[in-house]
Amino acid sequence: EPEVTQTPSHQVTQMGQEVILRCVPISNHLYFYWYRQILGQKVEFLVSFYNNEISEKSEIFDDQFSVERPDGSNFTLKIRSTKLEDSAMYFCASAEGGSAYEQYFGPGTRLTVT
Amino acid sequence: SQQGEEDPQALSIQEGENATMNCSYKTSINNLQWYRQNSGRGLVHLILIRSNEREKHSGRLRVTLDTSKKSSSLLITASRAADTASYFCATDAGDPDKLIFGTGTRLQVFP
């Protein structure tokens, strides 16, 4: 069964460093998402991406964040200058269509900023 | 105020019992989805129910939706220890490009 994959599973970085989180969505899906979950809190929407551009972003997704689909398979989230409060689990998701369709989530990348 | 709030926050039951979790939301929706998350793991999609549907079944899962009350419930029948997880509802809040998750119900099923 196709699944969303994410790498790395755990990333430790120092404050101020740049990190790139990688995702491989399900191959025939057209909509891509990033969410994050701070430990013990609920899952929060960051950004949605369709047709090679951002379709929606949350207040969390400020200028320090960017997304890219550099080729036909990968979908990346870049944080330019990490802060302590960026420590969280980051989930990538993909869907065949918009919110009328199920979103399939990857296993997540645990980002720890020290 | 929260778009999605689950009730109860935590639920402990014995294997074989039924578990009912409720979700309330604030704005109009096109659909509502339920997800399961095992501790420290990713989210697994369980059921999607559209705003024009009232009830949906999948195996031991039964979801109801009452748009007049802006609420949904997830019933797990004949629970198993493996059902132990957090359960979240998520809505589109009428916006096609994102999901808004609730705060979750932590379900513990004792063997």
Side-chain angles (χ1 to χ4, degrees), chain B residues 3-104:
Chain B
Q3 167 64 354
E5 292 188 28
E6 282 89 339
D7 165 53
Q9 289 188 335
L11 179 63
S12 295
I13 58 174
Q14 294 291 130
E15 240 179 354
E17 294 181 337
N18 295 341
T20 299
M21 288 158 270
N22 303 297
C23 167
S24 60
Y25 56 92
K26 304 288 184 186
T27 64
S28 61
I29 62 171
N30 294 311
N31 65 69
L32 182 145
Q33 305 186 38
W34 283 91
Y35 287 82
R36 184 186 75 224
Q37 184 181 37
N38 289 81
S39 181
R41 307 288 295 276
L43 294 148
V44 175
H45 183 268
L46 297 176
I47 285 187
L48 181 152
I49 186 166
R50 304 191 192 284
S51 58
N52 61 351
E53 297 174 314
R54 292 295 165 259
E55 190 170 309
K56 208 159 181 180
H57 297 254
S58 176
R60 293 184 296 112
L61 306 180
R62 174 178 164 247
V63 167
T64 61
L65 179 64
D66 187 337
T67 52
S68 67
K69 294 181 180 176
K70 291 187 168 61
S71 68
S72 173
S73 68
L74 170 67
L75 168 67
I76 304 174
T77 59
S79 63
R80 305 166 182 167
D83 295 327
T84 295
S86 290
Y87 291 82
F88 296 89
C89 69
T91 65
D92 59 5
D95 184 326
D97 292 322
K98 65 183 179 187
L99 286 179
I100 300 175
F101 282 79
T103 50

Side-chain angles (χ1 to χ4, degrees), chain A residues 31 33 35 37 42-43 45 48 55-56 89 91 98-103 105-107 110, chain B residues 2 31 33 35 37 40-43 45 48 50 88 92 95-99 101-103:
Chain A
Y31 288 75
Y33 307 85
Y35 294 83
Q37 185 180 33
K42 65 178 183 177
V43 176
F45 168 79
S48 58
S55 45
E56 178 131 13
M89 196 77 159
F91 294 107
S99 66
Y101 291 79
E102 297 90 337
Q103 292 187 17
F105 282 74
R110 180 166 299 285
Chain B
Q2 305 279 356
N31 65 69
Q33 305 186 38
Y35 287 82
Q37 184 181 37
R41 307 288 295 276
L43 294 148
H45 183 268
L48 181 152
R50 304 191 192 284
F88 296 89
D92 59 5
D95 184 326
D97 292 322
K98 65 183 179 187
L99 286 179
F101 282 79
T103 50

